[in-house]
Amino acid sequence: PPAIRIDNVVKRYAGARGEEGKLALKGVSFDVPQGQIFGLLGPNGAGKSTLINILAGLVMKTSGSAEIWGFDIDANPRNAKRSIGIVPQEIVFDPFFTPYEVLENQAGFYGIAKALRRSEELLAAVHLADKRNAYARALSGGMKRRLLVAKAMVHSPPVLVLDEPTAGVDVELRRQLWELVTGLNKEGVTVVLTTHYLEEAEQLCDRIAIINHGELIANKPTRELVGMA
Ligand code: ADP
Ligand code: ADP
């Protein structure tokens, strides 16, 4: 199956006091092929986060279907969820946990047998081995971002989704995150990332889909898309 299949997905948010809610996705369809780095590009308000949040199970779609690794997110949510790791935009761990505890906890949620070994492996992979026992709140922004990636990879999902991983980060951290993402992709992880930087998508992605006002307006291999511009 494709890593992700989005089929005619519509999202209308609830409106206030009987008003009609915002139509954030107007029937979006695309596939993410296995093994790629796939960029979902579009300006603020285009609907990128809505789409990611639907895949994460945080937002209910209005209609249409979504599959992760062949598992329908409504019919087979547990298998769908096990097939994906999500790196959200916001920091989502307890500031008084250590990186090691954040990963141990996450491994516990997934019932991972060799949690200790997996946590050590991941801390090394994101270059946080020496910070394993520091409070998360004492980590730099870059370290926190890398810890989020490690947290998303605890259950070894075949698909990793990052929502605006480099929004508002400095050049050095952006380079670190790119390296981390391309490294995981080389090991076989399918990567989907949202961004509003065309340049970033061009450098990093095999394929780019462009979304604007809740509609998909392009979906092409990066080379063809750049050739058009
Ligand atoms: P992007 O991630 O591309 O910036 P979003 O998916 O966050 O876009 O937003 C798409 C549209 O849906 C925007 O018009 C936004 O204001 C609206 N929207 C997002 N979240 C909500 C929500 N919880 N309730 C109502 N409208 C929302
Ligand atoms: P299950 O339905 O399999 O019991 P949960 O929904 O309770 O799983 O969550 C499992 C793990 O995923 C928990 O560690 C939880 O903190 C984490 N999680 C849930 N939502 C998010 C999110 N938006 N970002 C990061 N981690 C999340």
Side-chain angles (χ1 to χ4, degrees):
I4 291 176
R5 165 159 288 169
I6 303 289
D7 188 18
N8 203 16
V9 168
V10 172
K11 174 60 188 181
R12 185 184 289 283
Y13 284 104
R17 300 182 306 279
E19 283 166 35
E20 193 162 69
K22 173 82 193 178
L23 188 57
L25 297 173
K26 303 173 181 171
V28 169
S29 303
F30 63 91
D31 284 358
V32 176
Q34 287 188 23
Q36 292 206 334
I37 301 183
F38 186 97
L40 191 58
L41 184 72
N44 279 325
K48 303 182 299 295
S49 292
T50 299
L51 205 46
I52 300 301
N53 287 338
I54 287 171
L55 291 172
L58 296 169
V59 166
M60 295 295 283
K61 57 190 157 50
T62 305
S63 62
S65 69
E67 287 176 16
I68 302 166
W69 218 249
F71 299 113
D72 185 278
I73 62 169
D74 299 319
N76 213 334
R78 290 198 81 86
N79 284 326
K81 177 181 170 148
R82 281 189 175 269
S83 305
I84 196 169
I86 308 264
V87 181
Q89 269 187 61
E90 338 76 64
I91 305 294
V92 283
F93 43 75
D94 189 317
F96 291 99
F97 279 7
T98 67
Y100 181 73
E101 287 169 338
V102 168
L103 298 186
E104 276 272 86
N105 250 322
Q106 186 75 357
F109 280 120
Y110 281 99
I112 288 163
K114 295 193 170 129
L116 196 139
R117 183 138 148 231
R118 180 69 183 148
S119 300
E120 299 284 1
E121 228 173 71
L122 282 165
L123 286 173
V126 301
H127 307 296
L128 284 177
D130 58 331
K131 297 286 179 188
R132 65 196 295 284
N133 295 321
Y135 280 142
R137 68 168 188 162
L139 302 179
S140 70
M143 292 172 182
K144 286 179 190 158
R145 291 257 168 186
R146 283 183 274 142
L147 180 55
L148 277 183
V149 175
K151 185 184 173 199
M153 291 302 299
V154 158
H155 58 299
S156 309
V159 186
L160 179 67
V161 177
L162 305 98
D163 196 4
E164 298 269 0
T166 60
V169 310
D170 64 30
V171 178
E172 168 62 11
L173 176 51
R174 181 171 306 173
R175 197 189 53 75
Q176 281 179 15
L177 287 167
W178 286 13
E179 244 173 55
L180 194 53
V181 162
T182 50
L184 287 166
N185 180 249
K186 283 204 182 89
E187 286 164 29
V189 177
T190 303
V191 175
V192 179
L193 59 93
T194 69
T195 181
H196 54 268
Y197 303 117
L198 175 61
E199 203 180 301
E200 173 166 74
E202 276 178 18
Q203 291 201 32
L204 216 51
C205 301
D206 300 304
R207 193 176 183 90
I208 298 177
I210 304 178
I211 185 171
N212 194 23
H213 294 303
E215 284 177 295
L216 208 71
I217 58 173
N219 176 10
K220 288 190 184 323
T222 305
R223 244 170 252 158
E224 286 178 31
L225 198 80
V226 172
M228 275 165 52

